[in-house]
Amino acid sequence: MTDSDHFLWWRGLRGDRPCGDRWTEIGVEAFQERERRITGRHHLPGPVPDWAEDLFRVARAAFIADKYVRRTGVRDRWTRRISLAVPVTEHERWGSAAVRTHLTALLQVLTGDLWNVDFRPLTGHYVEEALVSPDEPRASEVALFSGGLDSLSWAATRSRADDSRPLLLVMFREIGLLRLQQRVYKAVERLPGARPVLLLPMSQTPAGDGSGARLETSSRTRGLLYAAGAIRAATAHGVGTVHIPENGQLALNPPLTPARSAACSTRSVHPRTLGSLNALVTAVSDTESTVQVVNPLAQLTKGEVCRAGRDAGLTPSDLESTLSCGKPPTRRSGGPPIANCGVCFPCLVRRSGLLHADGIDGTRYEALPWADGLPLDRGADWRALQRWLLGPYTLTDVFTDTPLPPDTDPAVAFDLIRRGREELARLLQIADATEAADAA
């Protein structure tokens, strides 16, 4: 294990820095310049309370530290020690033992790392506050909107609700995929009888750390950054709930192999993660402006989410135009302008969901997971999925990865995964049929 990497989210006097260790100073400049112009700088209908600004600042600092510390530099190629110092307005609240416990538990379950977070009073520093415009419309609901199947289906469902007040969708821009996200958003806007829908675009793209080396690719704290941005917006709109729509199948995200346990697979919307986040928010927020985060699709498989989208008026083409890929080809240097690779695990779940809802999946993928000649590394998820589906899955397996919160019924979680496995098993049938046809 290497020594801790120390990061200071700071824009103040040099003499105010912690002493004794080498600290790397980071701040808003750690995000790309063109994207800093829109990160946090939005016209909102009301002020953002200090605790929500603090939470957003802490989430941004954790995200940048997560990107700047490469896992390749530690002994087990995963577990890092990260020390982080962040200035906050509500220093007494953030400095309490309860808050520290909630935050470190949240960061550890998200990333699998060892975190030490310190808080310092935010005094004498310039802070970019929200631009308050009282004439801006106030939303009655707030939800994250990625441009994926789940967020599109939820947005379409809620856009048809009997409510004259707007639905606010908080969208974090994906590199090279902004046009796709905007096209998916238009699918919600044009639904007949839809209520007013507002889009709040935000940014997530970090700048380099000056080393010239590629930043860490795992980005496990990205979900926390998304949630904190949506919470911040919700407080300005006077909304007490933020919806993070993720099908329960991928929210639980049971590991396909022992090597993918815990934070080796994303846990950004796992019930335990949301429980830790809500405990943190409760500990630092004002009673009159507190916000809770919920996953409204926690009891649905991918296929059931797709059917809900169809019931809300979305067409198969609308669903197929979404982004589900964990490693979009368009992000790769020289990669094709295609949103979904077709072979990563999220793409495999996507295939099974669309087949369940529509009987066909017309998405344009980069590759078929069962195609002959697929490079060994690109077929790893498909082979792992095959072994997982052909093996047993019991109630005990629900507990062996990330523990569920005390108020979660493990039998309900097990039944959800069982239904998801049935949807995924259809891919095995298609692969077998394709192989038989090729042999004939």
Side-chain angles (χ1 to χ4, degrees):
M1 182 68 66
T2 62
D3 294 334
S4 296
D5 289 274
H6 296 77
F7 292 94
L8 181 70
W9 186 269
W10 206 248
R11 299 186 68 183
L13 300 174
R14 302 272 176 181
D16 290 337
R17 292 183 177 185
C19 300
D21 289 298
R22 181 181 63 83
W23 291 79
T24 300
E25 185 171 337
I26 56 176
V28 293
E29 292 79 7
F31 290 86
Q32 290 186 7
E33 180 179 0
R34 64 179 181 178
E35 305 211 353
R36 290 203 305 270
R37 297 171 186 170
I38 67 167
T39 301
R41 301 292 291 164
H42 308 290
H43 288 273
L44 296 173
V48 176
D50 288 339
W51 70 263
E53 290 284 11
D54 286 340
L55 178 64
F56 191 47
R57 189 178 301 109
V58 169
R60 296 180 75 193
F63 175 69
I64 291 299
D66 185 19
K67 296 297 293 183
Y68 279 10
V69 185
R70 285 76 167 177
R71 297 188 187 275
T72 53
V74 297
R75 184 174 302 172
D76 65 357
R77 311 281 290 185
W78 189 265
T79 310
R80 305 163 296 180
R81 294 179 180 270
I82 302 175
S83 293
L84 184 64
V86 187
V88 290
T89 303
E90 300 286 342
H91 179 254
E92 291 187 2
R93 295 187 188 184
W94 285 92
S96 72
V99 169
R100 290 174 181 269
T101 299
H102 291 317
L103 179 59
T104 54
L106 174 61
L107 291 172
Q108 185 167 348
V109 75
L110 278 173
T111 70
D113 300 308
L114 302 176
W115 289 78
N116 178 48
V117 185
D118 186 29
F119 302 103
R120 301 173 67 80
L122 180 66
T123 58
H125 303 278
Y126 173 70
V127 179
E128 290 186 336
E129 296 181 347
L131 302 175
V132 178
S133 299
D135 295 334
E136 291 288 318
R138 286 182 176 264
S140 61
E141 293 184 65
V142 175
L144 282 178
F145 185 78
S146 65
L149 275 170
D150 297 341
S151 64
L152 171 62
S153 293
W154 178 249
T157 299
R158 296 312 303 161
S159 74
R160 306 296 296 276
D162 185 15
D163 191 336
S164 59
R165 292 175 61 188
L167 166 68
L168 176 65
L169 301 178
V170 180
M171 182 186 79
F172 277 75
R173 308 193 312 171
E174 292 285 347
I175 301 174
L177 295 166
L178 181 58
R179 289 184 179 179
L180 179 147
Q181 291 179 302
Q182 291 173 333
R183 184 167 66 248
V184 173
Y185 170 72
K186 292 296 183 182
V188 178
E189 272 195 321
R190 65 171 176 262
L191 286 173
R195 64 198 277 204
V197 182
L198 306 175
L199 183 66
L200 180 60
M202 302 185 77
S203 172
Q204 64 172 19
T205 309
D209 61 354
S211 68
R214 185 181 183 185
L215 298 181
E216 169 59 34
T217 60
S218 57
S219 295
R220 290 291 183 260
T221 54
R222 186 171 63 173
L224 174 60
L225 175 62
Y226 290 174
I231 289 171
R232 178 179 179 275
T235 60
H237 282 265
V239 176
T241 301
V242 166
H243 292 122
I244 303 183
E246 177 84 67
N247 70 87
Q249 187 178 345
L250 278 182
L252 292 171
N253 206 8
L256 300 181
T257 71
R260 302 186 185 198
S261 61
C264 292
S265 293
T266 180
R267 297 290 181 267
S268 59
V269 196
H270 191 280
R272 186 177 181 86
T273 303
L274 297 188
S276 295
L277 176 57
N278 284 328
L280 174 63
V281 170
T282 298
V284 299
S285 63
D286 301 313
T287 304
E288 63 273 12
S289 64
T290 192
V291 175
Q292 291 289 282
V293 175
V294 300
N295 177 7
L297 306 178
Q299 304 303 320
L300 301 181
T301 66
K302 193 73 164 187
E304 291 163 355
V305 169
C306 291
R307 281 188 173 174
R310 291 296 309 278
D311 292 343
L314 296 171
T315 67
S317 178
D318 292 332
L319 297 176
E320 291 164 2
S321 67
T322 56
L323 168 69
S324 300
C325 190
K327 300 177 180 179
T330 189
R331 287 184 183 169
R332 296 199 302 268
S333 177
I338 298 175
N340 298 285
C341 72
V343 298
C344 69
F345 183 57
C347 279
L348 296 174
V349 176
R350 170 197 176 89
R351 287 179 183 272
S352 69
L354 289 173
L355 288 170
H356 180 81
D358 297 329
I360 189 172
D361 178 11
T363 302
R364 183 189 175 199
Y365 294 106
E366 183 183 24
L368 279 173
W370 46 79
D372 291 335
L374 191 69
L376 190 64
D377 61 329
R378 301 203 66 200
D381 284 354
W382 171 240
R383 293 191 300 274
L385 178 62
Q386 286 178 299
R387 290 191 293 270
W388 185 67
L389 290 175
L390 294 173
Y393 190 87
T394 67
L395 185 60
T396 303
D397 292 313
V398 176
F399 298 98
T400 57
D401 182 46
T402 302
L404 297 170
D407 60 348
T408 302
D409 186 347
V412 174
F414 175 73
D415 185 63
L416 171 67
I417 295 173
R418 177 193 61 77
R419 301 197 312 273
R421 281 167 62 93
E422 290 177 354
E423 292 178 10
L424 285 163
R426 185 166 183 177
L427 298 182
L428 298 181
Q429 300 171 4
I430 294 175
D432 291 342
T434 302
E435 183 179 352
D438 291 343

